[in-house]
Amino acid sequence: MISTAFEYQRANSLDEAIKKLQETGGRGKLLAGGHSLVPLMKLRMSEPGILIDIARIPGLAGIREKDGKIEIFAATVHHDVASSALLAEKCPVVAETAGEIGDPQVRNRGTLGGSLAHSDPSADYPAVMLAVDAEIHLKGPKGWRIVKASDFFQDLFTVDLAADEIIGGVQFAAVKSAGYAKLHQRASGYAIVGVAAALDVKGGVITSARLGLTGAGSHATRMTNVEKALAGQPLSAKTIEAAAKIAGEGIKHVNADIHASEEYRRAMIPVFTKRALEKAMARS
Amino acid sequence: MATTTPVLPKLVGQRVKRREDPRLIQGLASYVDDIKVAGMQYLAFKRSDVAHGRITRIDTTAAAAMDGVEAVFTGAQIAEIVPPMPIGTPFPSPAHHAVAVDVVRYAGEPVAVVVARDRYVARDAADAIVVSYERLPAVVDLEQAMTGKPAVIHKDFANNLAVALVPGGTGVGADYSVDDTAINKAFAAAEVVISQRMVNQRLAPTAIEGRGVLAHYEPGRGTMTIWSSTQNPHILRTMIAAMNGLGQDQVRAIAPEVGGGFGAKINIYGEEYVAAAISKKLGVPIKWVEDRSEAFVATTHGRDILGYIDLAAKRDGTVLGLKLRLIADIGAYNMLLTAAIPTLTMLMANATYNIPAIRVTLTEVFTNKTPTDAYRGAGRPEATYFVERAMDMLARELNMDPADLRRKNFIQPYQFPFATQMGAVYDSGDYEKCMDLALKNAKWKELKAERDAAKAKGRLVGIGMAMYVEVCGLGPSSSLPTGGWEHSGVTIERDGRITATTGASPHGQGNETTFGQMLADQFGVPLEHVTILHGDTSIVKQGIGTFGSRSQAVGGTALHLAGGKVKAKMAKFAAALLEANEDDLVFENGRVFVKGAPASGKSFAEVAAYAYVPVPLPPGLEPGLSDEAFFEPANNTYPFGCHISMLEIDRETGEPKLLKLIAVDDAGNLINPLIVEGQIHGGLAQGIGQAMIEEVVYNSDGQLVTGSFMDYAIPRAIDFPRFELDFTCTPTPVNPLGAKGVGEAGTLGSTPCIVAAAVDALSEFGVKHIDMMLRPEKLWRIIHGGKS
Ligand SMILES: Cc1cc2nc3c(=O)[nH]c(=O)nc-3n(C[C@H](O)[C@H](O)[C@H](O)COP(=O)(O)OP(=O)(O)OC[C@H]3O[C@@H](n4cnc5c(N)ncnc54)[C@H](O)[C@@H]3O)c2cc1C
């Protein structure tokens, strides 16, 4: 549980951090809350030569509403998201998701940007980012780039993020009728299966739906078959019940470990889809 | 004349807050890792990453060449300075080297040691050591291991049998001769027999402070000081002296603040022997501090015992006989007490019942896993679990209320002292009274109605109960190789303050508080005037240590006796000073006076001062106020209790949630109910952990899968309902305090009562037994028709 030796630097701006990343040419790694990176370093599964701490870059933490959209900056810790009054009012599912991450220590250190960049297959945020259809704002040497959440998560621990890019934050349109439900792995708190559901409802009819699934596969994905089944249907317990039934169908690879077999995980996808949808309906 | 001194309340029996806590929660306590000695070097161990293999090559050149590395030792080199490690049980045992020589037998076993300038260099150097192995088949499955397959781990132990087959109980003679008449008769008369295979799974003790040691051999003096995170510094001293060719007078062992032990810090480990031997060889202080990854593989595990149980009864619920075949997976080696732990499961198989015939057999088996040893409860939770599960199954089979079934079979108060079929002599008990209070507190009838109402709505709610009796307060010297006594010293200082020592080495039990309360009452002085010292063999003259819930019953009594001796002498000084009869004196409110005349007495401090400058010296007295006592109880103590739980299982996911836990415990007289409740809370937490979320898992290669807190769950506050505690009080006649011991009790009743509740919750699916832990997927399979 002792990492290899490393150098520690602190960046005071995104540009400085990017410069440092370039200078260190592959040896440098960004450090935010350290709650994914440091455990890996202690197990010597990650051995960066230089850590570039971005956690205290001015302006990189915070939540605000801008031009009708919600903006969460990358270094915002989970606890601040979970306890945000703005989110509780406008988009409770995001606060709810943050509140389900790990334990209080983790929530007091871990950051949104770190979670998204790391993209653990069982992480909670990716599912909700898919459901709120977030835009992820990345800054690199050539400036800003925007990636849709649905394009960002690509594979196991793999995201659309270059070695010299930094997540600055996320932006999304607030959606009230959305919910997150997860089956906790009882040691770590991570999601064995986690589903975030967001519904656009007009006159009692679901105009469109977005569902993000985490924990089941190599990375978080949208459940488009469920989304289609919901669209155009009246918002009702019956609709939800029917749509949730097909959740997970057609997913080729589903994880298995000591906490949950593939069969059990598959069975849990409809269960938590239904629960997420029920929460969304309750908030509509 | 009105006295101005405030009256000091009697403290024994009061909920006095722990005096230890302010320093602990403010970070003002010193653990081994906080202690530094000039010139200190650090150890790191290179550990085997295979479970079973022959070492074909160890290349230490790169490590030895690293800047800051002092020395590198292979197993063969360590074997020259550290003899094979001794054990504390009378069973045959294979040679166990502190650092493996030739063959490794579990993943995590040390294969080489680095000595370096700091922890970081030491770790890097250990990583730079390259070891090659010829892989041998890993022995993982317990019942397969007993057939000698897929390999024999120790060549002199055929079929991997560490302890071949020990019979005990009815009809078994002291020479292990066996007469089956009674047990056969019991089963022949049975109208119903419950038979079940049950697993009491392997657990990792996971003290929040891992182990650590600092050994300092001073060549000039020829003495060794060793600090260690241990439960028993005096045993450590004995072993370190013996292993290093030193006298016990030449070794000082210190247990500083110890952040949890749970039985796993009784054992004296290879790392301690290696640190001491290297310090002696190199003449420098040597420190090693375990990290969490190491703790999972290198600190002993607990439990891991398989039971085949048969319970014979009449249809009216009368229990006739019990057969229990125990097979313990002890891992790769015998540690200090390893082989003895399952014998405690045997010993307690009689539980709280009149059972006319019992037959238990025990087999202990080597596997390629981390060795097991004591873990909170050590053998007794296993016994309780097996018997109580079987009783619950019997109640279900007979459609009887589980409380009624127990009531029918309880050992009755008039039967105490009760000699069990297993050779224990229960000191005192009133099981029915205890159960009745638990039923009352739980509102058993209403609880059942509540369950039924929930079930009627389709919820999977269940209730369960369990009785336990445990053996603790160890014990007469016949029951412990170290001797079964405890020691204490009491000194009244010149200023009237009190310093006391105890050989019990508390590490979370709160003895600084409870022992302080006792002396404060005994001498009529404020608690703040009493200091309890422990954990240092040069300050505490003799001792055994804290384990087996013995510190209060045995150590507390030694303290009480030492205090009594000093008080008697002090009374003589006071009598001389007051020109009174010593038998008429009262010690109260910081004063010593003739009964009925407090104002005419002397302050406690004045009497103390006189004892140290005794002019004139009363005839027949030596100056000073200091004495000591050993106490050896004639028997162990046998606390007991009744635990009741209510649990709900999510029909869709199989997730269990504990809704209620009602406990009534009887530990005899309680010195401090607040501390007792804390001990029960901790025990319950670990019992609930075992029932619901804790399990050490190895894969088929013998690799530990649950090697971190990301995969090995330990319970947290959010996992519990508010515990509802209560007590009955049946004092023990075994010691003058009437106190039994309570450190482990919470782990006993909780596991069977929770599993009983889970089975009850799932009764509609026809399930009779569920092995721990209550993994959601396992429960989901029962609910959704799959196999369990
Ligand atoms: C005990 C425990 C339990 C946990 N339980 C959960 C859980 O239940 N659910 C869950 O979702 N997570 C859980 N986590 C993970 C936790 O949420 C992490 O905090 C999070 O995944 C990473 O965020 P961080 O700020 O700590 O990132 P760090 O560990 O600092 O960094 C992680 C990775 O992201 C990179 N990075 C960090 N910030 C940026 C950025 N702005 N731009 C680009 N790259 C960046 C780093 O270089 C590194 O590669 C748990 C962690 C622990 C230790």
Side-chain angles (χ1 to χ4, degrees):
Chain A
M1 301 299 279
I2 294 177
S3 70
T4 47
F6 59 86
E7 201 182 301
Y8 172 89
Q9 300 179 358
R10 188 187 292 171
N12 291 308
S13 69
L14 281 182
D15 290 336
E16 188 189 346
I18 293 163
K19 206 168 129 244
K20 283 180 187 291
L21 274 177
Q22 289 182 307
E23 282 167 7
T24 54
R27 292 184 61 235
K29 207 155 179 47
L30 300 176
L31 174 73
H35 269 51
S36 288
L37 180 56
V38 174
L40 288 177
M41 288 171 62
K42 285 183 164 189
L43 295 169
R44 302 199 163 192
M45 288 159 75
S46 176
E47 302 186 350
I50 301 163
L51 288 186
I52 303 156
D53 190 345
I54 58 168
R56 279 175 264 192
I57 290 180
L60 199 61
I63 305 164
R64 68 176 181 193
E65 198 175 11
K66 195 186 154 204
D67 307 333
K69 286 199 162 182
I70 307 273
E71 202 167 10
I72 308 178
F73 296 98
T76 312
V77 297
H78 308 331
H79 170 78
D80 289 346
V81 175
S83 57
S84 156
L86 175 69
L87 289 172
E89 191 204 327
K90 301 270 165 101
C91 193
V93 67
V94 175
E96 175 181 42
T97 305
E100 292 281 325
I101 296 174
D103 51 47
Q105 287 95 323
V106 176
R107 295 196 289 273
N108 281 323
R109 301 290 303 187
T111 67
L112 171 66
S115 178
L116 300 181
H118 188 63
S119 184
D120 189 289
S122 306
D124 296 296
Y125 268 137
V128 78
M129 289 299 125
L130 289 170
V132 299
D133 204 16
E135 289 176 340
I136 297 166
H137 292 234
L138 314 172
K139 195 169 194 195
K142 288 184 219 138
W144 289 97
R145 178 163 84 87
I146 295 174
V147 184
K148 283 267 196 197
S150 46
D151 298 325
F152 185 72
F153 306 106
Q154 295 178 332
D155 206 341
L156 189 67
F157 299 111
T158 308
V159 292
D160 180 3
L161 179 74
D164 54 4
E165 282 183 319
I166 303 181
I167 300 174
V170 301
Q171 257 188 30
F172 49 88
V175 42
K176 244 198 134 162
S177 47
Y180 182 66
K182 87 190 253 200
L183 178 63
H184 293 84
Q185 196 261 66
R186 286 186 291 178
S188 67
Y190 273 103
I192 289 176
V193 165
V195 178
L199 302 174
D200 302 322
V201 187
K202 229 181 222 153
V205 173
I206 303 170
T207 54
S208 64
R210 288 171 309 281
L211 283 96
L213 169 68
T214 189
S218 62
H219 63 289
T221 49
R222 291 265 293 259
M223 290 194 283
T224 45
N225 61 337
V226 183
E227 295 174 357
K228 279 192 197 123
L230 288 164
Q233 300 294 317
L235 177 56
S236 72
K238 240 177 90 192
T239 302
I240 286 175
E241 181 97 38
K245 274 207 180 101
I246 60 165
E249 272 179 15
I251 298 185
K252 278 211 194 74
H253 171 84
V254 168
N255 302 331
D257 55 31
I258 56 163
H259 306 288
S261 67
E262 175 180 343
E263 183 190 1
Y264 179 59
R265 263 199 178 80
R266 280 191 187 278
M268 290 305 106
I269 299 171
V271 171
F272 285 88
T273 301
K274 189 181 84 191
R275 290 182 184 187
L277 285 168
E278 282 167 354
K279 284 186 182 181
M281 182 164 85
R283 286 183 183 138
S284 69
Chain B
M1 194 179 86
T3 168
T4 49
T5 340
V7 177
L8 289 173
K10 287 284 177 203
L11 295 179
V12 169
Q14 301 297 312
R15 304 173 67 84
V16 177
K17 282 192 184 164
R18 281 163 42 106
R19 310 165 79 190
E20 294 87 340
D21 287 344
R23 70 169 185 267
L24 294 174
I25 59 183
Q26 291 178 92
L28 300 175
S30 281
Y31 298 83
V32 170
D33 200 20
D34 297 312
I35 295 162
K36 299 196 166 57
V37 176
M40 194 164 76
Q41 301 276 323
Y42 289 77
L43 291 189
F45 289 83
K46 174 75 179 179
R47 294 181 184 276
S48 168
D49 46 20
V50 305
H52 197 193
R54 189 173 301 283
I55 300 168
T56 52
R57 201 175 79 103
I58 301 187
D59 185 350
T60 59
T61 36
M66 285 171 77
D67 183 34
V69 172
E70 282 290 313
V72 181
F73 296 87
T74 63
Q77 290 163 329
I78 289 294
E80 290 167 15
I81 53 172
V82 182
M85 295 187 283
I87 63 167
T89 60
F91 296 96
S93 181
H96 181 193
H97 294 283
V99 178
V101 180
D102 297 333
V103 176
V104 292
R105 297 184 174 89
Y106 64 95
E109 184 170 4
V111 288
V113 196
V114 176
V115 184
R117 163 180 81 208
D118 61 43
R119 281 187 85 176
Y120 311 101
V121 173
R123 178 80 269 144
D124 287 347
D127 267 21
I129 297 172
V130 183
V131 188
S132 314
Y133 302 93
E134 172 202 330
R135 287 196 180 231
L136 299 170
V139 180
V140 179
D141 181 84
L142 175 59
E143 289 179 282
Q144 197 195 12
M146 295 172 70
T147 65
K149 293 203 177 76
V152 172
I153 297 170
H154 298 286
K155 73 172 173 15
D156 295 333
F157 292 78
N159 292 330
N160 294 310
L161 299 186
V163 173
L165 183 88
V166 184
T170 320
V172 178
D175 58 349
Y176 297 121
S177 62
V178 168
D179 174 355
D180 287 336
T181 320
I183 192 77
N184 285 346
K185 201 177 123 214
F187 275 80
E191 292 164 3
V192 48
V193 175
I194 298 296
S195 298
Q196 183 65 45
R197 177 188 193 269
M198 299 179 190
V199 179
N200 204 288
Q201 83 274 30
R202 181 175 277 250
L203 303 175
T206 59
I208 292 304
E209 184 209 15
R211 291 183 295 120
V213 57
L214 168 56
H216 184 197
Y217 180 76
E218 292 174 80
R221 293 171 174 276
T223 58
M224 175 90 71
T225 304
I226 183 163
W227 291 261
S228 178
S229 185
T230 179
Q231 297 177 222
N232 24 251
H234 286 87
I235 298 177
L236 175 66
R237 179 178 69 160
T238 303
M239 307 298 267
I240 292 294
M243 292 284 278
N244 288 283
L246 297 170
Q248 295 194 9
D249 56 317
Q250 294 170 300
V251 178
R252 175 182 183 186
I254 303 174
E257 212 74 70
V258 174
F262 308 117
K265 291 178 183 170
I266 301 171
N267 182 53
I268 313 301
Y269 286 85
E271 291 90 350
E272 289 162 299
Y273 294 132
V274 168
I278 292 180
S279 177
K280 184 154 175 267
K281 184 176 169 72
L282 302 183
V284 295
I286 295 288
K287 181 187 267 192
W288 171 75
V289 174
E290 183 180 65
D291 67 34
R292 184 56 63 187
S293 300
E294 285 183 301
F296 274 104
V297 293
T299 292
T300 54
H301 291 166
R303 314 270 195 268
D304 208 350
I305 184 163
L306 172 63
Y308 284 92
I309 194 163
D310 302 292
L311 185 64
K314 292 204 279 195
R315 289 219 76 91
D316 69 357
T318 309
V319 172
L320 299 173
L322 170 72
K323 288 189 215 165
L324 180 57
R325 187 155 66 89
L326 298 171
I327 307 166
D329 179 340
I330 64 169
Y333 295 99
N334 268 315
M335 308 298 269
L336 199 62
L337 300 176
T338 302
I341 304 304
T343 66
L344 293 172
T345 307
M346 287 185 92
L347 181 70
M348 296 313 291
N350 207 128
T352 55
Y353 310 111
N354 279 305
I355 307 178
I358 303 180
R359 173 63 50 78
V360 186
T361 58
L362 170 63
T363 305
E364 299 185 18
V365 183
F366 289 119
T367 58
N368 290 124
K369 301 176 193 166
T370 293
T372 59
D373 204 312
Y375 173 59
R376 198 170 193 168
R380 295 95 86 196
E382 295 90 316
T384 304
Y385 180 74
F386 294 138
V387 178
E388 290 302 298
R389 279 300 307 130
M391 287 296 278
D392 193 68
M393 290 174 70
L394 178 61
R396 238 164 229 293
E397 172 70 27
L398 298 174
N399 210 2
M400 234 175 132
D401 182 299
D404 292 343
L405 176 67
R406 273 131 177 135
R407 194 184 305 284
K408 198 167 180 85
N409 291 286
F410 276 147
I411 298 162
Q412 296 300 313
Y414 68 84
Q415 292 178 276
F416 291 91
F418 180 83
T420 73
Q421 303 286 339
M422 303 309 303
V425 180
Y426 293 172
D427 54 345
S428 65
D430 190 340
Y431 303 142
E432 195 161 358
K433 182 167 141 200
C434 177
M435 183 179 78
D436 281 336
L437 182 60
L439 294 174
K440 178 170 160 265
N441 291 353
K443 303 198 182 70
W444 185 243
K445 255 199 189 136
E446 290 88 332
L447 202 65
K448 282 171 145 181
E450 199 181 324
R451 171 207 52 198
D452 293 342
K455 283 201 168 202
K457 286 193 196 132
R459 287 169 61 195
L460 299 174
V461 173
I463 58 176
M465 67 160 294
M467 292 297 301
Y468 75 86
V469 56
E470 81 136 325
V471 51
C472 69
L474 316 177
S477 286
S478 55
S479 69
L480 277 175
T482 52
W485 42 264
E486 201 43 88
H487 176 270
S488 185
V490 174
T491 299
I492 313 298
E493 307 291 357
R494 285 164 176 261
D495 59 358
R497 308 272 293 209
I498 301 177
T499 307
T501 63
T502 175
S505 190
H507 45 280
Q509 292 78 6
N511 296 124
E512 290 175 32
T513 307
T514 54
F515 287 13
Q517 287 172 257
M518 288 170 58
L519 288 178
D521 277 10
Q522 196 169 19
F523 289 97
V525 298
L527 178 59
E528 297 71 37
H529 289 190
V530 183
T531 293
I532 307 293
L533 300 176
H534 54 82
D536 183 340
T537 62
S538 68
I539 294 172
V540 182
K541 288 187 194 162
Q542 286 296 341
I544 306 291
T546 286
F547 50 85
S549 302
R550 68 193 300 275
S551 63
Q552 183 62 55
V554 189
T557 303
L559 177 93
H560 174 74
L561 298 179
K565 287 184 188 177
V566 176
K567 189 174 176 182
K569 187 175 180 191
M570 193 169 182
K572 288 195 165 65
F573 280 109
L577 207 54
L578 296 170
E579 294 172 354
N581 185 334
E582 63 190 79
D583 297 331
D584 297 336
L585 295 179
V586 178
F587 289 63
E588 231 173 61
N589 293 325
R591 295 184 67 77
V592 186
F593 53 86
V594 175
K595 199 180 201 153
S600 63
K602 293 276 180 195
S603 77
F604 191 77
E606 284 172 306
V607 181
Y610 171 53
Y612 286 96
V613 189
V615 187
L617 183 66
L621 278 186
E622 287 172 13
L625 293 170
S626 187
D627 214 330
E628 63 189 289
F630 286 86
F631 174 66
E632 167 155 325
N635 188 7
N636 305 130
T637 59
Y638 293 86
F640 54 91
C642 177
H643 291 190
I644 294 175
S645 72
M646 185 180 228
L647 176 139
E648 176 160 14
I649 296 166
D650 186 313
R651 194 180 277 274
E652 288 179 320
T653 66
E655 286 175 290
K657 184 172 166 58
L658 187 60
L659 302 178
K660 284 187 181 182
L661 200 284
I662 298 104
V664 175
D665 295 275
D666 190 323
N669 291 331
L670 309 184
I671 310 300
N672 182 332
L674 186 66
I675 286 180
V676 168
E677 286 170 15
Q679 290 292 313
I680 302 269
H681 280 187
L684 286 175
Q686 287 180 304
I688 294 166
Q690 174 168 21
M692 301 186 63
I693 57 175
E694 291 191 48
E695 181 169 29
V696 168
V697 178
Y698 283 90
N699 70 13
S700 55
D701 294 332
Q703 293 294 333
L704 181 65
V705 181
T706 49
S708 87
F709 284 131
M710 292 305 256
D711 286 306
Y712 187 86
I714 56 169
R716 287 166 260 206
I718 52 159
D719 296 314
F720 308 126
R722 179 160 286 275
F723 301 139
E724 299 169 48
L725 306 190
D726 206 345
F727 299 90
T728 56
C729 179
T730 313
T732 177
V734 168
N735 64 59
L737 308 178
K740 288 192 170 182
V742 75
E744 295 159 287
T747 61
L748 276 86
S750 42
T751 54
C753 95
I754 289 171
V755 174
V759 171
D760 188 43
L762 299 181
S763 60
E764 68 187 76
F765 306 103
V767 63
K768 295 198 165 121
H769 174 72
I770 307 167
D771 275 329
M772 299 183 287
M773 59 184 246
L774 298 176
R775 214 177 261 290
E777 177 167 351
K778 200 189 282 179
L779 305 182
W780 173 83
R781 284 183 186 280
I782 294 170
I783 298 164
H784 293 270
K787 52 188 169 31
S788 122

